Amino acid sequence: MLAKPLTLSAPGKAILHGEHAVVHGKAALAVALNLRTFLQIRPSNNGKVLICLPNIGTSLNWEAVRLRTLLTAFSDGLDESKCPSPEQMDALKEFAGITTGLSATESLGTVAFLYLYLSISAKYGQIPSVEIVVWSELPTGAGLGSSAAYSVCLAAALLTACGAIGCPLEEEKSIVRWPEEELDLINRWAFRGEQVIHGKPSGVDNSVATWGGVLRFQSGKITSLKRVPTLMILLTNTKVSRSTKILVAGVKDKILKFPAIMNPVLASIDAISHECESVLEAMAVSPSQDYYPVLEELFDINQHHLNVIGVGHPSLDSVCRVTATHGLHSKLTGAGGGGCAITLLRPDTDPLMVEAARQDLSACGFECWETSIGAPGICLHSLSSLKAEVLHVFNEV
């Protein structure tokens, strides 16, 4: 059981290659983004369960005794292989007083927490009175896996608190991960949290947040690449909202209208994903600058293909144009139609050039982060391993 505070983090997600083609049975490469969600869970003796989400200014708490009254809805043959039922969701929304006045982020985040807390308590034994603080470097609603990182952190923290999985952190280690079988359990429970939030998620986002690195996703099968390099990128959020559902439908319409034209494009995107996978595996074995021109060319080709299938946007064209003036190569990541783009940075890229590109992108009204892909999945941290900004948040709450 939980004897002292624990601090965890999980990465976000970006799609390296295979957007939209994956809907039609082609391969996609999803990568762990080293913009992370951090969670601290602390034992408490006040008889309450508290969750604080500083990013959205939300802090909620309930009497642990009141929460136990809901356990009857979660004790009938419950396990991580079963989907959340409509009756359970209705009971949680009523209990939490969810109204139409709450933002979707706040209400879904609250229900996902309650679902995981009660489900894990029902299966593994009562979780004691705790305080949980969750803070993220990831923007919400940008297609970067923020909800999955949240669900993975919650699942790992609650499973550890009730003793269902171990606490592998040792004093001499600053960052550790759970063994594979426990990571698999974390991932299965996190997927249930994602179902609460999204209804019918693919499972890719929570898998990336759990396992980290690079995952291949094709026809419902998710495979983790065993050895991958860490690549530096610029991530740009255009802040242009879009509907993934409408974009996916538009691609489908194009395929039905021009099958002889569009199917070869999808096949080419599939080939790009496989070629990139081969390059990444070769880089992990024998790192060399010689691979970067290949990766850059794959970015350029794929971005043209994504424009051809109709998921480009003037804002994304601007990102590609601005970064190209600095000798950099970019492509959209995710649904397209706005949203985010990634720009590959070679190890020898001049930091002044990167900063100039960031300033030019910011002048367009975009938000930029310099980060890496291929990051580790869910981890436990010692306090000494945390950045000052993260420590400040946890100390303030």
Side-chain angles (χ1 to χ4, degrees), residues 119-339:
S119 300
I120 290 170
S121 292
K123 179 155 187 181
Y124 301 105
Q126 183 62 39
I127 296 170
S129 176
V130 291
E131 296 177 355
I132 293 175
V133 181
V134 186
W135 179 81
S136 187
E137 297 172 322
L138 291 159
T140 57
L144 299 175
S146 60
S147 68
Y150 172 73
S151 293
V152 168
C153 282
L154 282 178
L158 295 170
L159 288 165
T160 304
C162 73
I165 60 176
C167 178
L169 192 63
E170 300 170 6
E171 286 190 15
E172 68 273 14
K173 294 182 179 179
S174 58
I175 301 175
V176 294
R177 306 199 65 220
W178 284 267
E180 194 165 309
E181 64 274 12
E182 294 187 342
L183 287 171
D184 186 58
L185 184 63
I186 291 168
N187 193 39
R188 294 202 304 273
W189 277 110
F191 182 62
R192 297 304 166 208
E194 279 283 86
Q195 286 181 315
V196 172
I197 294 169
H198 293 296
K200 294 183 178 179
S202 67
V204 171
D205 289 15
N206 53 278
S207 295
V208 171
T210 301
W211 300 104
V214 180
L215 275 63
R216 184 197 325 114
F217 177 56
Q218 186 168 16
S219 301
K221 184 180 180 182
I222 300 171
T223 307
S224 180
L225 276 61
K226 294 303 179 188
R227 294 187 64 186
V228 293
T230 299
L231 303 177
M232 295 303 299
I233 63 161
L234 262 186
L235 174 71
T236 301
N237 184 3
T238 67
K239 303 181 186 176
V240 175
S241 61
R242 69 275 183 263
S243 165
T244 300
K245 185 176 180 181
I246 291 172
L247 289 160
V248 168
V251 173
K252 183 179 179 181
D253 288 345
K254 262 192 169 64
I255 294 168
L256 292 173
K257 190 174 181 180
F258 304 112
I261 298 169
M262 298 304 292
N263 285 323
V265 178
L266 296 179
S268 181
I269 293 174
D270 185 55
I272 290 169
S273 295
H274 288 290
E275 179 67 18
C276 183
E277 181 179 336
S278 298
V279 172
L280 293 177
E281 289 177 335
M283 289 178 77
V285 174
S286 177
S288 169
Q289 295 270 22
D290 295 342
Y291 292 112
Y292 280 89
V294 179
L295 293 175
E296 290 169 345
E297 199 160 0
L298 293 177
F299 264 44
D300 294 341
I301 297 168
N302 200 356
Q303 179 61 24
H304 287 304
H305 285 344
L306 291 163
N307 279 325
V308 166
I309 65 175
V311 297
H313 189 272
S315 63
L316 294 165
D317 294 339
S318 295
V319 174
C320 294
R321 185 174 61 254
V322 167
T323 54
T325 64
H326 297 280
L328 303 172
H329 299 254
S330 304
K331 66 173 287 292
L332 68 83
T333 180

Side-chain angles (χ1 to χ4, degrees), residues 89-100:
M89 294 303 94
D90 289 343
L92 291 180
K93 288 176 183 176
E94 182 179 352
F95 175 83
I98 301 285
T99 65
T100 53

Side-chain angles (χ1 to χ4, degrees), residues 320-367:
C320 294
R321 185 174 61 254
V322 167
T323 54
T325 64
H326 297 280
L328 303 172
H329 299 254
S330 304
K331 66 173 287 292
L332 68 83
T333 180
C340 292
I342 51 176
T343 303
L344 186 64
L345 301 177
R346 298 189 186 201
D348 61 353
T349 303
D350 184 346
L352 293 176
M353 181 190 295
V354 177
E355 182 56 31
R358 285 184 63 161
Q359 289 183 9
D360 288 348
L361 290 165
S362 296
C364 296
F366 305 150
E367 190 173 11

Side-chain angles (χ1 to χ4, degrees), residues 357-392:
R358 285 184 63 161
Q359 289 183 9
D360 288 348
L361 290 165
S362 296
C364 296
F366 305 150
E367 190 173 11
C368 298
W369 300 266
E370 186 176 350
T371 185
S372 62
I373 54 178
I378 181 76
C379 321
L380 266 172
H381 294 262
S382 68
L383 291 179
S384 62
S385 71
L386 296 173
K387 294 182 286 189
E389 184 181 14
V390 180
L391 280 171
H392 177 73

